[in-house]
Amino acid sequence: MGKKKIIVAITGASGSIYAKLLLDNLQLLSDQIEKVGVVMSDNAKEVWRFELGHEDYNNYNFDFYQKMDFNAPFASGSAKYDTMIIIPCSMGTLGRIAHGISNDLISRAADVVLKERRKLIAVARDTPFSLIHLNNMKAVTEAGGIICPANPSFYNLPKTIEEVAQTVVSRVVDLAGLTQESYRWNE
């Protein structure tokens, strides 16, 4: 298995803990990764500061891109990024992707990943879902994307909020095709 090139998009939906844990996990799995490109919306930075109480997203040794930087390598399929993970994925972002509206780097990168038949994982973080949300999820799924709602599992008996959130992040890491140690049902 070759090393992966991964795009991480962080939107302004609640759930910054998922994004933080994913970035932490990707650092630990650096031997399986060639590159990580990160793009955050302005709202994502605000929500991160509000929910986590810091701006530690600045401390990761990944390539960060501005939300309108269409010169980012993954704005084109020729850069050959394998996987894009949108975590958390707002319903607005999902709607723009579902309808092919590439008005920022996040939606453009998702459009590229889908057109190139590569892996798009959208960690939807909203509840309840409206029919519009469900139809957008259906459209993205039909286009080849994976909708992975931020629904934690509890069969590993998590004791902290981080352990609960990690159950979602572990699924995302698995879906991205990376190998990690994590709880496996009945093993």
Short mmCIF file of all heavy atoms in Angstrom, two decimals, residues 97-158:
data_model
loop_
_atom_site.label_atom_id
_atom_site.label_comp_id
_atom_site.label_asym_id
_atom_site.label_seq_id
_atom_site.Cartn_x
_atom_site.Cartn_y
_atom_site.Cartn_z
N ILE A 97 -21.94 20.76 -2.23
CA ILE A 97 -21.29 19.63 -2.90
C ILE A 97 -22.31 18.82 -3.70
O ILE A 97 -22.07 18.47 -4.85
CB ILE A 97 -20.56 18.73 -1.86
CG1 ILE A 97 -19.40 19.50 -1.22
CG2 ILE A 97 -20.08 17.44 -2.51
CD1 ILE A 97 -18.85 18.86 0.04
N ALA A 98 -23.46 18.56 -3.09
CA ALA A 98 -24.50 17.75 -3.75
C ALA A 98 -24.98 18.38 -5.04
O ALA A 98 -25.39 17.69 -5.97
CB ALA A 98 -25.68 17.55 -2.79
N HIS A 99 -24.88 19.71 -5.13
CA HIS A 99 -25.38 20.41 -6.31
C HIS A 99 -24.28 20.99 -7.18
O HIS A 99 -24.55 21.78 -8.08
CB HIS A 99 -26.39 21.48 -5.87
CG HIS A 99 -27.61 20.86 -5.26
ND1 HIS A 99 -28.63 20.34 -6.00
CD2 HIS A 99 -27.92 20.62 -3.96
CE1 HIS A 99 -29.54 19.81 -5.20
NE2 HIS A 99 -29.12 19.96 -3.96
N GLY A 100 -23.05 20.58 -6.93
CA GLY A 100 -21.93 20.98 -7.79
C GLY A 100 -21.57 22.44 -7.73
O GLY A 100 -21.03 22.99 -8.69
N ILE A 101 -21.82 23.08 -6.60
CA ILE A 101 -21.49 24.50 -6.44
C ILE A 101 -20.11 24.61 -5.81
O ILE A 101 -19.94 24.37 -4.62
CB ILE A 101 -22.56 25.22 -5.59
CG1 ILE A 101 -23.92 25.10 -6.28
CG2 ILE A 101 -22.17 26.68 -5.36
CD1 ILE A 101 -25.09 25.54 -5.42
N SER A 102 -19.13 24.95 -6.61
CA SER A 102 -17.73 25.02 -6.15
C SER A 102 -17.35 26.47 -5.91
O SER A 102 -16.59 27.06 -6.66
CB SER A 102 -16.80 24.39 -7.20
OG SER A 102 -17.12 23.04 -7.39
N ASN A 103 -17.86 27.04 -4.82
CA ASN A 103 -17.62 28.46 -4.57
C ASN A 103 -16.51 28.74 -3.56
O ASN A 103 -16.25 29.88 -3.23
CB ASN A 103 -18.92 29.14 -4.15
CG ASN A 103 -19.44 28.62 -2.83
OD1 ASN A 103 -19.07 27.54 -2.37
ND2 ASN A 103 -20.32 29.39 -2.20
N ASP A 104 -15.86 27.70 -3.05
CA ASP A 104 -14.70 27.86 -2.17
C ASP A 104 -13.83 26.61 -2.32
O ASP A 104 -14.19 25.69 -3.06
CB ASP A 104 -15.11 28.11 -0.71
CG ASP A 104 -15.87 26.95 -0.07
OD1 ASP A 104 -15.97 25.86 -0.68
OD2 ASP A 104 -16.35 27.13 1.06
N LEU A 105 -12.70 26.60 -1.64
CA LEU A 105 -11.76 25.48 -1.81
C LEU A 105 -12.35 24.17 -1.31
O LEU A 105 -12.10 23.11 -1.90
CB LEU A 105 -10.43 25.78 -1.11
CG LEU A 105 -9.34 24.72 -1.24
CD1 LEU A 105 -9.03 24.41 -2.71
CD2 LEU A 105 -8.09 25.15 -0.50
N ILE A 106 -13.16 24.20 -0.27
CA ILE A 106 -13.74 22.96 0.25
C ILE A 106 -14.66 22.33 -0.79
O ILE A 106 -14.52 21.15 -1.13
CB ILE A 106 -14.48 23.19 1.58
CG1 ILE A 106 -13.48 23.59 2.69
CG2 ILE A 106 -15.27 21.95 1.99
CD1 ILE A 106 -14.12 24.01 4.00
N SER A 107 -15.59 23.11 -1.31
CA SER A 107 -16.53 22.55 -2.29
C SER A 107 -15.84 22.22 -3.61
O SER A 107 -16.18 21.24 -4.27
CB SER A 107 -17.72 23.49 -2.50
OG SER A 107 -17.31 24.79 -2.84
N ARG A 108 -14.82 23.00 -3.99
CA ARG A 108 -14.07 22.68 -5.22
C ARG A 108 -13.30 21.38 -5.04
O ARG A 108 -13.31 20.51 -5.93
CB ARG A 108 -13.11 23.82 -5.57
CG ARG A 108 -12.13 23.51 -6.69
CD ARG A 108 -12.82 23.17 -8.00
NE ARG A 108 -11.82 22.71 -8.98
CZ ARG A 108 -12.12 22.08 -10.09
NH1 ARG A 108 -13.37 21.82 -10.41
NH2 ARG A 108 -11.17 21.69 -10.91
N ALA A 109 -12.63 21.20 -3.92
CA ALA A 109 -11.87 19.97 -3.68
C ALA A 109 -12.80 18.76 -3.67
O ALA A 109 -12.47 17.71 -4.23
CB ALA A 109 -11.09 20.07 -2.38
N ALA A 110 -13.96 18.89 -3.06
CA ALA A 110 -14.93 17.78 -3.04
C ALA A 110 -15.39 17.46 -4.45
O ALA A 110 -15.50 16.29 -4.82
CB ALA A 110 -16.11 18.13 -2.14
N ASP A 111 -15.64 18.48 -5.24
CA ASP A 111 -16.03 18.29 -6.64
C ASP A 111 -14.95 17.53 -7.41
O ASP A 111 -15.23 16.60 -8.16
CB ASP A 111 -16.30 19.66 -7.27
CG ASP A 111 -16.94 19.58 -8.65
OD1 ASP A 111 -17.86 18.77 -8.83
OD2 ASP A 111 -16.51 20.35 -9.53
N VAL A 112 -13.70 17.91 -7.18
CA VAL A 112 -12.56 17.25 -7.84
C VAL A 112 -12.48 15.79 -7.42
O VAL A 112 -12.33 14.89 -8.26
CB VAL A 112 -11.23 17.98 -7.53
CG1 VAL A 112 -10.02 17.15 -7.90
CG2 VAL A 112 -11.20 19.33 -8.22
N VAL A 113 -12.57 15.53 -6.12
CA VAL A 113 -12.47 14.16 -5.61
C VAL A 113 -13.57 13.29 -6.22
O VAL A 113 -13.31 12.16 -6.65
CB VAL A 113 -12.52 14.15 -4.06
CG1 VAL A 113 -12.74 12.75 -3.51
CG2 VAL A 113 -11.24 14.73 -3.49
N LEU A 114 -14.78 13.81 -6.29
CA LEU A 114 -15.88 13.03 -6.86
C LEU A 114 -15.70 12.81 -8.36
O LEU A 114 -15.90 11.70 -8.85
CB LEU A 114 -17.23 13.71 -6.58
CG LEU A 114 -17.69 13.68 -5.13
CD1 LEU A 114 -18.95 14.52 -4.95
CD2 LEU A 114 -17.92 12.25 -4.64
N LYS A 115 -15.30 13.84 -9.09
CA LYS A 115 -15.15 13.68 -10.55
C LYS A 115 -14.00 12.73 -10.89
O LYS A 115 -14.05 12.06 -11.90
CB LYS A 115 -14.99 15.03 -11.25
CG LYS A 115 -13.60 15.63 -11.22
CD LYS A 115 -13.54 16.94 -11.99
CE LYS A 115 -12.16 17.55 -11.96
NZ LYS A 115 -11.16 16.80 -12.72
N GLU A 116 -13.01 12.66 -10.03
CA GLU A 116 -11.87 11.77 -10.25
C GLU A 116 -12.12 10.36 -9.70
O GLU A 116 -11.25 9.50 -9.77
CB GLU A 116 -10.61 12.35 -9.60
CG GLU A 116 -10.16 13.69 -10.18
CD GLU A 116 -9.61 13.58 -11.59
OE1 GLU A 116 -9.06 12.51 -11.95
OE2 GLU A 116 -9.73 14.57 -12.35
N ARG A 117 -13.30 10.15 -9.14
CA ARG A 117 -13.70 8.85 -8.57
C ARG A 117 -12.77 8.42 -7.43
O ARG A 117 -12.43 7.26 -7.28
CB ARG A 117 -13.77 7.74 -9.63
CG ARG A 117 -14.61 8.05 -10.84
CD ARG A 117 -16.09 8.23 -10.47
NE ARG A 117 -16.96 8.22 -11.65
CZ ARG A 117 -17.34 9.30 -12.31
NH1 ARG A 117 -16.94 10.50 -11.94
NH2 ARG A 117 -18.16 9.20 -13.35
N ARG A 118 -12.42 9.40 -6.61
CA ARG A 118 -11.62 9.12 -5.42
C ARG A 118 -12.53 9.14 -4.20
O ARG A 118 -13.74 9.28 -4.32
CB ARG A 118 -10.48 10.13 -5.34
CG ARG A 118 -9.55 9.97 -6.56
CD ARG A 118 -8.30 10.79 -6.49
NE ARG A 118 -7.56 10.61 -7.74
CZ ARG A 118 -7.07 11.61 -8.44
NH1 ARG A 118 -7.21 12.87 -8.04
NH2 ARG A 118 -6.42 11.38 -9.56
N LYS A 119 -11.99 9.02 -3.02
CA LYS A 119 -12.80 8.83 -1.82
C LYS A 119 -13.12 10.16 -1.14
O LYS A 119 -12.22 10.90 -0.75
CB LYS A 119 -12.08 7.91 -0.85
CG LYS A 119 -12.98 7.41 0.27
CD LYS A 119 -12.29 6.38 1.12
CE LYS A 119 -12.24 5.07 0.38
NZ LYS A 119 -11.78 3.96 1.23
N LEU A 120 -14.42 10.43 -0.98
CA LEU A 120 -14.92 11.58 -0.23
C LEU A 120 -15.69 11.05 0.96
O LEU A 120 -16.62 10.26 0.81
CB LEU A 120 -15.84 12.44 -1.10
CG LEU A 120 -16.55 13.58 -0.36
CD1 LEU A 120 -15.54 14.64 0.09
CD2 LEU A 120 -17.63 14.19 -1.23
N ILE A 121 -15.29 11.48 2.16
CA ILE A 121 -15.96 11.08 3.40
C ILE A 121 -16.49 12.35 4.06
O ILE A 121 -15.71 13.22 4.44
CB ILE A 121 -14.99 10.35 4.35
CG1 ILE A 121 -14.37 9.14 3.67
CG2 ILE A 121 -15.71 9.96 5.65
CD1 ILE A 121 -13.12 8.60 4.36
N ALA A 122 -17.80 12.45 4.17
CA ALA A 122 -18.44 13.61 4.80
C ALA A 122 -18.99 13.20 6.15
O ALA A 122 -19.89 12.37 6.23
CB ALA A 122 -19.54 14.16 3.90
N VAL A 123 -18.43 13.76 7.21
CA VAL A 123 -18.86 13.46 8.57
C VAL A 123 -19.95 14.47 8.95
O VAL A 123 -19.66 15.55 9.48
CB VAL A 123 -17.69 13.48 9.57
CG1 VAL A 123 -18.15 13.10 10.97
CG2 VAL A 123 -16.59 12.52 9.10
N ALA A 124 -21.18 14.12 8.59
CA ALA A 124 -22.33 15.00 8.82
C ALA A 124 -22.58 15.16 10.31
O ALA A 124 -22.61 14.19 11.04
CB ALA A 124 -23.56 14.42 8.13
N ARG A 125 -22.73 16.41 10.73
CA ARG A 125 -22.91 16.68 12.15
C ARG A 125 -24.11 17.61 12.33
O ARG A 125 -23.95 18.80 12.51
CB ARG A 125 -21.64 17.32 12.70
CG ARG A 125 -21.13 16.92 14.04
CD ARG A 125 -22.04 16.97 15.23
NE ARG A 125 -22.70 18.24 15.40
CZ ARG A 125 -23.97 18.33 15.81
NH1 ARG A 125 -24.69 17.27 16.04
NH2 ARG A 125 -24.51 19.50 15.96
N ASP A 126 -25.28 17.05 12.25
CA ASP A 126 -26.50 17.81 12.46
C ASP A 126 -27.59 16.84 12.86
O ASP A 126 -27.48 15.65 12.60
CB ASP A 126 -26.91 18.54 11.18
CG ASP A 126 -27.65 19.84 11.45
OD1 ASP A 126 -28.24 19.97 12.54
OD2 ASP A 126 -27.63 20.71 10.58
N THR A 127 -28.60 17.33 13.52
CA THR A 127 -29.73 16.48 13.85
C THR A 127 -30.89 17.36 14.26
O THR A 127 -30.66 18.39 14.89
CB THR A 127 -29.38 15.46 14.97
OG1 THR A 127 -30.41 14.51 15.09
CG2 THR A 127 -29.12 16.12 16.30
N PRO A 128 -32.09 17.03 13.91
CA PRO A 128 -32.49 15.97 12.99
C PRO A 128 -32.20 16.39 11.56
O PRO A 128 -31.88 17.55 11.29
CB PRO A 128 -34.00 15.85 13.23
CG PRO A 128 -34.42 17.23 13.65
CD PRO A 128 -33.26 17.79 14.42
N PHE A 129 -32.30 15.44 10.65
CA PHE A 129 -32.10 15.73 9.23
C PHE A 129 -33.43 16.08 8.60
O PHE A 129 -34.43 15.40 8.82
CB PHE A 129 -31.52 14.50 8.51
CG PHE A 129 -30.16 14.08 9.00
CD1 PHE A 129 -29.92 12.77 9.35
CD2 PHE A 129 -29.12 14.99 9.09
CE1 PHE A 129 -28.67 12.36 9.80
CE2 PHE A 129 -27.87 14.60 9.54
CZ PHE A 129 -27.64 13.28 9.89
N SER A 130 -33.41 17.12 7.79
CA SER A 130 -34.61 17.45 7.00
C SER A 130 -34.58 16.62 5.72
O SER A 130 -33.56 15.99 5.39
CB SER A 130 -34.63 18.94 6.64
OG SER A 130 -33.66 19.22 5.64
N LEU A 131 -35.68 16.63 4.98
CA LEU A 131 -35.71 15.93 3.71
C LEU A 131 -34.67 16.50 2.75
O LEU A 131 -34.05 15.75 1.99
CB LEU A 131 -37.11 15.99 3.09
CG LEU A 131 -37.29 15.22 1.78
CD1 LEU A 131 -36.94 13.74 1.94
CD2 LEU A 131 -38.72 15.38 1.27
N ILE A 132 -34.43 17.79 2.81
CA ILE A 132 -33.39 18.41 1.97
C ILE A 132 -32.03 17.81 2.32
O ILE A 132 -31.25 17.44 1.43
CB ILE A 132 -33.39 19.94 2.14
CG1 ILE A 132 -34.68 20.53 1.58
CG2 ILE A 132 -32.16 20.57 1.49
CD1 ILE A 132 -34.92 21.99 1.95
N HIS A 133 -31.72 17.70 3.62
CA HIS A 133 -30.45 17.11 4.05
C HIS A 133 -30.32 15.68 3.53
O HIS A 133 -29.28 15.28 2.99
CB HIS A 133 -30.33 17.08 5.58
CG HIS A 133 -30.38 18.41 6.23
ND1 HIS A 133 -30.81 18.56 7.53
CD2 HIS A 133 -30.08 19.65 5.79
CE1 HIS A 133 -30.75 19.84 7.86
NE2 HIS A 133 -30.31 20.52 6.81
N LEU A 134 -31.39 14.89 3.72
CA LEU A 134 -31.36 13.49 3.28
C LEU A 134 -31.19 13.37 1.77
O LEU A 134 -30.43 12.53 1.29
CB LEU A 134 -32.63 12.77 3.74
CG LEU A 134 -32.77 12.62 5.26
CD1 LEU A 134 -34.17 12.13 5.61
CD2 LEU A 134 -31.71 11.71 5.83
N ASN A 135 -31.86 14.23 1.02
CA ASN A 135 -31.70 14.21 -0.44
C ASN A 135 -30.29 14.61 -0.85
O ASN A 135 -29.72 14.05 -1.80
CB ASN A 135 -32.74 15.10 -1.12
CG ASN A 135 -34.11 14.46 -1.15
OD1 ASN A 135 -34.24 13.23 -1.16
ND2 ASN A 135 -35.15 15.28 -1.14
N ASN A 136 -29.69 15.57 -0.14
CA ASN A 136 -28.30 15.95 -0.42
C ASN A 136 -27.35 14.80 -0.09
O ASN A 136 -26.40 14.54 -0.83
CB ASN A 136 -27.92 17.22 0.34
CG ASN A 136 -28.58 18.45 -0.22
OD1 ASN A 136 -28.99 18.48 -1.39
ND2 ASN A 136 -28.69 19.48 0.58
N MET A 137 -27.60 14.09 1.02
CA MET A 137 -26.79 12.92 1.37
C MET A 137 -26.92 11.85 0.28
O MET A 137 -25.93 11.23 -0.11
CB MET A 137 -27.21 12.35 2.72
CG MET A 137 -26.83 13.22 3.88
SD MET A 137 -27.37 12.43 5.41
CE MET A 137 -27.30 13.82 6.53
N LYS A 138 -28.13 11.65 -0.19
CA LYS A 138 -28.38 10.67 -1.26
C LYS A 138 -27.62 11.06 -2.52
O LYS A 138 -26.96 10.22 -3.15
CB LYS A 138 -29.88 10.58 -1.53
CG LYS A 138 -30.27 9.59 -2.62
CD LYS A 138 -31.80 9.57 -2.78
CE LYS A 138 -32.25 8.57 -3.81
NZ LYS A 138 -32.27 9.09 -5.16
N ALA A 139 -27.68 12.34 -2.89
CA ALA A 139 -26.99 12.80 -4.10
C ALA A 139 -25.47 12.60 -3.99
O ALA A 139 -24.83 12.14 -4.94
CB ALA A 139 -27.31 14.27 -4.37
N VAL A 140 -24.91 12.95 -2.84
CA VAL A 140 -23.46 12.78 -2.65
C VAL A 140 -23.10 11.29 -2.66
O VAL A 140 -22.10 10.89 -3.25
CB VAL A 140 -22.99 13.48 -1.35
CG1 VAL A 140 -21.56 13.09 -1.00
CG2 VAL A 140 -23.11 14.99 -1.50
N THR A 141 -23.93 10.46 -2.05
CA THR A 141 -23.69 9.01 -2.05
C THR A 141 -23.76 8.46 -3.46
O THR A 141 -22.90 7.67 -3.88
CB THR A 141 -24.71 8.29 -1.13
OG1 THR A 141 -24.57 8.81 0.20
CG2 THR A 141 -24.48 6.80 -1.12
N GLU A 142 -24.76 8.87 -4.23
CA GLU A 142 -24.88 8.41 -5.62
C GLU A 142 -23.71 8.87 -6.48
O GLU A 142 -23.34 8.18 -7.44
CB GLU A 142 -26.21 8.89 -6.22
CG GLU A 142 -27.40 8.17 -5.64
CD GLU A 142 -28.74 8.71 -6.09
OE1 GLU A 142 -28.81 9.88 -6.58
OE2 GLU A 142 -29.74 7.98 -5.96
N ALA A 143 -23.10 9.99 -6.11
CA ALA A 143 -21.93 10.49 -6.84
C ALA A 143 -20.64 9.78 -6.41
O ALA A 143 -19.58 10.04 -6.98
CB ALA A 143 -21.79 12.00 -6.64
N GLY A 144 -20.74 8.91 -5.39
CA GLY A 144 -19.57 8.14 -4.96
C GLY A 144 -19.03 8.51 -3.59
O GLY A 144 -18.08 7.90 -3.12
N GLY A 145 -19.63 9.50 -2.94
CA GLY A 145 -19.18 9.90 -1.62
C GLY A 145 -19.70 8.98 -0.53
O GLY A 145 -20.61 8.18 -0.75
N ILE A 146 -19.11 9.08 0.64
CA ILE A 146 -19.52 8.31 1.81
C ILE A 146 -20.01 9.30 2.86
O ILE A 146 -19.28 10.22 3.24
CB ILE A 146 -18.34 7.50 2.39
CG1 ILE A 146 -17.82 6.49 1.37
CG2 ILE A 146 -18.75 6.80 3.69
CD1 ILE A 146 -16.51 5.83 1.78
N ILE A 147 -21.23 9.10 3.32
CA ILE A 147 -21.76 9.91 4.41
C ILE A 147 -21.54 9.10 5.69
O ILE A 147 -22.03 8.00 5.84
CB ILE A 147 -23.27 10.19 4.23
CG1 ILE A 147 -23.55 10.85 2.87
CG2 ILE A 147 -23.80 11.04 5.39
CD1 ILE A 147 -22.88 12.18 2.63
N CYS A 148 -20.77 9.67 6.60
CA CYS A 148 -20.45 9.01 7.87
C CYS A 148 -20.91 9.94 8.99
O CYS A 148 -20.13 10.78 9.45
CB CYS A 148 -18.95 8.74 7.96
SG CYS A 148 -18.45 7.93 9.48
N PRO A 149 -22.18 9.84 9.38
CA PRO A 149 -22.66 10.74 10.44
C PRO A 149 -21.82 10.60 11.71
O PRO A 149 -21.32 9.53 12.02
CB PRO A 149 -24.10 10.27 10.68
CG PRO A 149 -24.49 9.55 9.45
CD PRO A 149 -23.22 8.92 8.94
N ALA A 150 -21.71 11.70 12.42
CA ALA A 150 -20.94 11.72 13.66
C ALA A 150 -21.74 11.06 14.78
O ALA A 150 -22.08 11.69 15.78
CB ALA A 150 -20.54 13.15 14.00
N ASN A 151 -22.05 9.78 14.59
CA ASN A 151 -22.80 9.00 15.58
C ASN A 151 -21.83 8.09 16.32
O ASN A 151 -21.40 7.08 15.77
CB ASN A 151 -23.87 8.15 14.89
CG ASN A 151 -24.91 8.98 14.18
OD1 ASN A 151 -25.10 10.14 14.50
ND2 ASN A 151 -25.57 8.38 13.22
N PRO A 152 -21.50 8.43 17.55
CA PRO A 152 -20.55 7.59 18.28
C PRO A 152 -21.14 6.24 18.65
O PRO A 152 -22.35 6.05 18.68
CB PRO A 152 -20.23 8.41 19.53
CG PRO A 152 -21.37 9.35 19.69
CD PRO A 152 -21.94 9.58 18.32
N SER A 153 -20.25 5.30 18.91
CA SER A 153 -20.68 3.99 19.44
C SER A 153 -20.28 3.93 20.91
O SER A 153 -19.43 4.69 21.37
CB SER A 153 -20.02 2.85 18.65
OG SER A 153 -18.62 2.92 18.75
N PHE A 154 -20.89 3.01 21.62
CA PHE A 154 -20.66 2.94 23.06
C PHE A 154 -20.28 1.54 23.53
O PHE A 154 -20.09 1.33 24.72
CB PHE A 154 -21.90 3.45 23.81
CG PHE A 154 -22.18 4.90 23.52
CD1 PHE A 154 -23.04 5.26 22.50
CD2 PHE A 154 -21.54 5.89 24.24
CE1 PHE A 154 -23.28 6.60 22.21
CE2 PHE A 154 -21.77 7.23 23.96
CZ PHE A 154 -22.64 7.58 22.94
N TYR A 155 -20.15 0.59 22.61
CA TYR A 155 -19.85 -0.78 23.03
C TYR A 155 -18.43 -0.96 23.53
O TYR A 155 -18.11 -1.99 24.10
CB TYR A 155 -20.20 -1.82 21.96
CG TYR A 155 -19.78 -1.49 20.54
CD1 TYR A 155 -18.46 -1.54 20.14
CD2 TYR A 155 -20.75 -1.15 19.60
CE1 TYR A 155 -18.09 -1.25 18.85
CE2 TYR A 155 -20.39 -0.87 18.29
CZ TYR A 155 -19.06 -0.92 17.92
OH TYR A 155 -18.70 -0.64 16.64
N ASN A 156 -17.57 0.03 23.37
CA ASN A 156 -16.23 -0.05 23.95
C ASN A 156 -16.18 0.61 25.33
O ASN A 156 -15.11 0.73 25.93
CB ASN A 156 -15.20 0.60 23.02
CG ASN A 156 -15.41 2.09 22.85
OD1 ASN A 156 -16.54 2.57 22.92
ND2 ASN A 156 -14.34 2.82 22.62
N LEU A 157 -17.36 1.03 25.84
CA LEU A 157 -17.51 1.63 27.16
C LEU A 157 -16.60 2.85 27.37
O LEU A 157 -15.79 2.89 28.30
CB LEU A 157 -17.27 0.58 28.26
CG LEU A 157 -18.11 -0.69 28.14
CD1 LEU A 157 -17.72 -1.69 29.21
CD2 LEU A 157 -19.59 -0.37 28.18
N PRO A 158 -16.73 3.87 26.51
CA PRO A 158 -15.89 5.06 26.65
C PRO A 158 -16.17 5.79 27.96
O PRO A 158 -17.30 5.78 28.45
CB PRO A 158 -16.29 5.92 25.45
CG PRO A 158 -17.66 5.46 25.08
CD PRO A 158 -17.72 4.01 25.44
#
